[in-house]
Amino acid sequence: MQQVGNVERRTILKAAGASLAAAGLGATATACEGGSGSGDGTVTIRYSWWGAEDRAERINKTIALFEKKYPKIKVKTDFQQYADFWKKFNTQASGGNPPDVFQNAIGFLRKYDAKNVLLDLGDQVEAGNLSMDGFRAGLEKFGEVDGKLLGVPVGSNSMALVIDKPVWTRAGASPEQGWTWDDFDAAMTRIRDRAGRAGDSGMYGVMYLYDLYLRQNGKAFFTEDGLGFTEADLTRWWTKAEKGVRTGLVADAKKVVQIKPKSAVAGELAAAEFTWDNFVVRYTSEGTSEYGLAPIPTTDGKKTGQYLGSLMLSAAKRTRHPKEVAQFIDFMVHDPEVAKIMGYDRGVPTTQVQYDAYRPTGEVDKSIAAYEESLVKAGVLETITPHPDGADICEAAFLRIAEEMSLGKRSVDEAVEQFFTESKTALTG
């Protein structure tokens, strides 16, 4: 997620699904136009992803390697900014002409599986065209839904607390593995009182963090078919958020909005922000301080609720070239040269061979690798909570409504009621 590409993955956390909230796919579609073939046996597959120019340059280099190894397979590429990608994908899928292979995320698997868009890659594994061996930390299961392999992970990340290290040092605060939410609150107070800065950027619109908090307490944001928490649960969470803003422990939301897309941490409005671990690269490029990764606070001093998340590659069910698509995905997740080109642009490589092939030399990338290694060593990683059809719309609503609340446009009770109303529609409609 390095440099510009990193902004795109942050958008996953902060705005996933917003572009699809008002659009739906038809249940039926005409035959997929998909990739094309030629008289000499060469086939062309279409590959789409979201990202910016830096990611495109890296991916095009990996495609050149793939086409050299598979001269009978040509890859036609297309990339967009995150929201534009899903608008275009939705239109293509509605017309029965999605790309043969495309970048995907956990919040969209059930959505597009329910609309008969995604190819179950399990058959290609059995045929020997795609290997699911050699993945790190159970990531080979990340793209499985109801026994179907709907996505193959290409890069891993996990939630973390990105901190402005000099500010924390000046405040005398020191986050450690196993610290509690009470410890976190005490650190926020120290930072406000001793360093003269808000402790946190405003974590209460971050769905994935709230998911971890719920998991620490025996619940989860999603079950397989709906929400896994109550209105009373969310009221408590957002009431604490409101108090944090009022007491200066959390940054002024109006100022945070004003400096977007720059983060509140890099903009020196807050000393910390909960986000994905590899976003620390972005903050380093945006800001002038030294930034680091701190562990997720816990309820009991042990359970963080964490899992490794991942971008993934999925295939269209209507592709004319499932074998070639599977070979392409296999190459992208196993070839060591691909890892050397991509680095940590999409997260830490998911297969061990690629992880070993790219050893970062920069301190920031080293810190990301060390953070994920620490999670494995601490034994805190669990299986990701399943996301139901409609999860992307719920996530977008959570972000938007939380921001409205933080800006004083809604009370906590109004915000909670609105979120549950919108979520009920998204998850049942």
Side-chain angles (χ1 to χ4, degrees):
M1 310 172 83
Q2 305 342 21
Q3 310 303 330
V4 178
N6 189 29
V7 176
E8 300 308 312
R9 275 187 301 279
R10 186 170 191 265
T11 308
I12 299 171
L13 177 62
K14 300 288 187 181
S19 63
L20 292 174
L25 285 177
T28 60
T30 57
C32 179
E33 295 175 7
S36 60
S38 65
D40 66 354
T42 299
V43 301
T44 299
I45 59 175
R46 293 160 50 219
Y47 173 34
S48 298
W49 69 91
W50 64 82
E53 291 291 343
D54 179 63
R55 179 177 295 173
E57 291 174 4
R58 293 172 186 265
I59 287 179
N60 285 333
K61 290 179 181 178
T62 67
I63 289 172
L65 289 180
F66 173 77
E67 291 181 337
K68 184 176 181 180
K69 181 175 180 179
Y70 294 94
K72 293 293 185 179
I73 307 175
K74 302 302 179 184
V75 183
K76 182 179 180 181
T77 64
D78 181 32
F79 74 97
Q80 312 284 334
Q81 298 292 318
Y82 180 78
D84 292 336
F85 171 89
W86 287 112
K87 288 178 183 177
K88 184 172 183 178
F89 181 85
N90 191 61
T91 300
Q92 292 172 325
S94 295
N97 188 33
D100 297 274
V101 60
F102 54 95
Q103 189 169 284
N104 205 351
I106 189 70
F108 298 94
L109 290 183
R110 288 185 184 274
K111 181 185 188 78
Y112 285 108
D113 181 44
K115 298 181 185 299
N116 209 32
V117 173
L118 303 181
L119 177 69
D120 181 357
L121 290 161
D123 290 342
Q124 294 302 317
V125 175
E126 292 183 8
N129 299 319
L130 170 63
S131 172
M132 294 303 293
D133 295 331
F135 282 81
R136 300 170 36 243
L139 282 165
E140 69 277 2
K141 300 292 185 182
F142 189 80
E144 289 188 4
V145 173
D146 300 331
K148 293 177 287 188
L149 180 60
L150 302 180
V152 179
V154 294
S156 71
N157 50 21
S158 191
M159 288 296 296
L161 181 65
V162 176
I163 65 172
D164 186 323
K165 294 171 70 173
V167 174
W168 280 66
T169 299
R170 191 160 68 245
S174 180
E176 299 178 356
Q177 188 73 42
W179 66 328
T180 66
W181 287 104
D182 287 341
D183 296 330
F184 171 78
D185 292 340
M188 297 298 97
T189 301
R190 277 177 171 264
I191 290 167
R192 181 198 62 189
D193 295 346
R194 298 185 181 185
R197 188 180 298 184
D200 188 81
S201 67
M203 65 195 198
Y204 298 94
V206 184
M207 186 198 86
Y208 290 97
L209 177 68
Y210 187 44
D211 183 32
L212 299 191
Y213 178 79
L214 289 167
R215 289 160 64 95
Q216 290 176 16
N217 291 278
K219 298 187 177 184
F221 197 100
F222 291 117
T223 64
E224 291 189 6
D225 56 4
L227 298 177
F229 60 99
T230 66
E231 293 186 29
D233 292 328
L234 185 55
T235 298
R236 285 190 291 271
W237 182 253
W238 276 347
T239 296
K240 184 177 179 182
E242 187 178 57
K243 180 180 178 182
V245 174
R246 191 170 64 249
T247 57
L249 298 182
V250 175
D252 184 335
K254 294 183 178 66
K255 294 180 179 179
V256 172
V257 170
Q258 287 172 356
I259 68 169
K260 285 184 176 181
K262 194 172 188 178
S263 73
V265 174
E268 299 184 0
L269 297 178
E273 180 168 276
F274 287 97
T275 187
W276 299 107
D277 55 20
N278 47 358
F279 289 0
V280 67
V281 176
R282 176 192 174 216
Y283 300 152
T284 300
S285 67
E286 284 183 346
T288 59
S289 189
E290 181 184 0
Y291 307 100
L293 295 170
I296 297 294
T298 67
T299 299
D300 62 0
K302 298 177 182 179
K303 182 181 175 69
T304 67
Q306 282 173 278
Y307 43 78
L308 291 182
S310 179
L311 292 180
M312 63 188 78
L313 296 179
S314 292
K317 192 170 188 176
R318 297 173 183 267
T319 180
R320 295 177 181 175
H321 307 295
K323 175 182 178 181
E324 289 80 5
V325 165
Q327 290 172 324
F328 177 78
I329 295 174
D330 185 85
F331 182 84
M332 290 298 169
V333 298
H334 291 290
D335 189 273
E337 294 303 313
V338 169
K340 295 176 183 179
I341 294 170
M342 294 305 300
Y344 286 178
D345 178 81
R346 295 177 298 193
V348 178
T350 54
T351 56
Q352 192 65 45
V353 65
Q354 288 196 339
Y355 182 82
D356 292 339
Y358 176 72
R359 288 298 185 179
T361 56
E363 291 304 314
V364 176
D365 276 359
K366 284 182 179 179
S367 73
I368 297 169
Y371 178 73
E372 293 199 8
E373 288 175 354
S374 74
L375 299 180
V376 174
K377 184 178 180 180
V380 299
L381 292 175
E382 304 174 7
T383 303
I384 191 170
T385 307
H387 286 201
D389 182 11
D392 56 322
I393 300 175
C394 294
E395 182 179 351
F398 193 80
L399 167 66
R400 171 175 47 80
I401 294 168
E403 183 172 270
E404 291 171 353
M405 181 193 67
S406 69
L407 293 171
K409 297 179 180 179
R410 294 181 187 271
S411 68
V412 171
D413 289 343
E414 290 171 341
V416 171
E417 181 180 3
Q418 184 64 28
F419 173 73
F420 272 81
T421 297
E422 293 189 26
S423 294
K424 182 178 180 180
T425 300
L427 295 169
T428 61

